[in-house]
Amino acid sequence: VFPPVLEEKGDHVPAEHDAIGKRNREEPVRQCFLVVEDDEAMRTLLLNRLQRHGHMVFCVDTCAEAVEEYGNLHDIITTVLMDVGLCDGSGYECQQKLLKINPGARVIFMSGQNELPPKESPEQWVFLQKPFTKRERKFRRGFRFVVHS
């Protein structure tokens, strides 16, 4: 995971954004992430990469902790990175609990398994297949969608 990354030729970016994480060539776009990941190595990787790019990051490893943390911090959390297979339940079920706290919650799902979105998924559903790499276009598109929407 290497957000933010520079655009490649052919990628459409709104005129005011010339690169992910840059607005008007001067002002960096900063996000506050809640990472919900039960794998410690992946959680640490995401934490380090996102912080390296100036983002604020909170990390938890269960759905119960995510709901508690999001309940306390939903006013500042801009994006939730949610593992689908958590030790205490499904990331999809956890998302439903977060949406009760904030119906506008933005969630990016991640999984190392082949997953299909639930039938009641919103149109703006974003899923990232793990492991993701620096060149992973799907990760960059998902990240770009959340940062710029």
Side-chain angles (χ1 to χ4, degrees), residues 32-43:
C32 180
F33 288 90
L34 175 60
V35 175
V36 186
E37 170 62 65
D38 56 358
D39 180 85
E40 185 176 359
M42 179 60 72
R43 192 171 57 245

Side-chain angles (χ1 to χ4, degrees), residues 16-29 148:
E16 70 272 12
H17 296 88
D18 62 351
I20 294 179
K22 298 287 183 185
R23 182 179 291 158
N24 299 328
R25 299 186 189 269
E26 304 281 331
E27 178 186 334
V29 175
H148 298 300

Side-chain angles (χ1 to χ4, degrees), residues 94-143:
C94 191
Q95 178 202 30
Q96 294 306 309
K97 294 175 183 179
L98 300 184
L99 290 173
K100 288 179 182 175
I101 297 169
N102 174 15
R106 296 192 293 181
V107 178
I108 297 177
F109 292 103
M110 313 173 290
S111 179
Q113 307 298 317
N114 289 328
E115 298 282 341
L116 294 174
K119 292 179 181 176
E120 65 278 357
S121 296
E123 288 179 24
Q124 300 174 339
W125 189 82
V126 179
F127 179 81
L128 302 174
Q129 185 71 42
K130 294 188 283 185
F132 21 82
T133 65
K134 184 176 183 178
R135 309 279 307 155
E136 179 74 43
R137 292 181 62 85
K138 190 170 184 179
F139 179 84
R140 293 185 329 196
R141 284 191 183 127
F143 186 77

Side-chain angles (χ1 to χ4, degrees), residues 16-80:
E16 70 272 12
H17 296 88
D18 62 351
I20 294 179
K22 298 287 183 185
R23 182 179 291 158
N24 299 328
R25 299 186 189 269
E26 304 281 331
E27 178 186 334
V29 175
R30 301 289 182 228
Q31 301 285 319
C32 180
F33 288 90
L34 175 60
V35 175
V36 186
E37 170 62 65
D38 56 358
D39 180 85
E40 185 176 359
M42 179 60 72
R43 192 171 57 245
T44 301
L45 172 71
L46 289 166
L47 170 70
N48 292 337
R49 295 292 179 174
L50 291 167
Q51 284 182 335
R52 187 174 305 152
H53 290 285
H55 302 290
M56 182 184 301
V57 183
F58 297 92
C59 294
V60 297
D61 61 0
T62 67
C63 178
E65 291 172 336
V67 171
E68 180 179 351
E69 195 81 354
Y70 193 75
N72 294 328
L73 300 171
H74 68 277
D75 290 336
I76 64 168
I77 292 172
T78 54
T79 305
V80 178

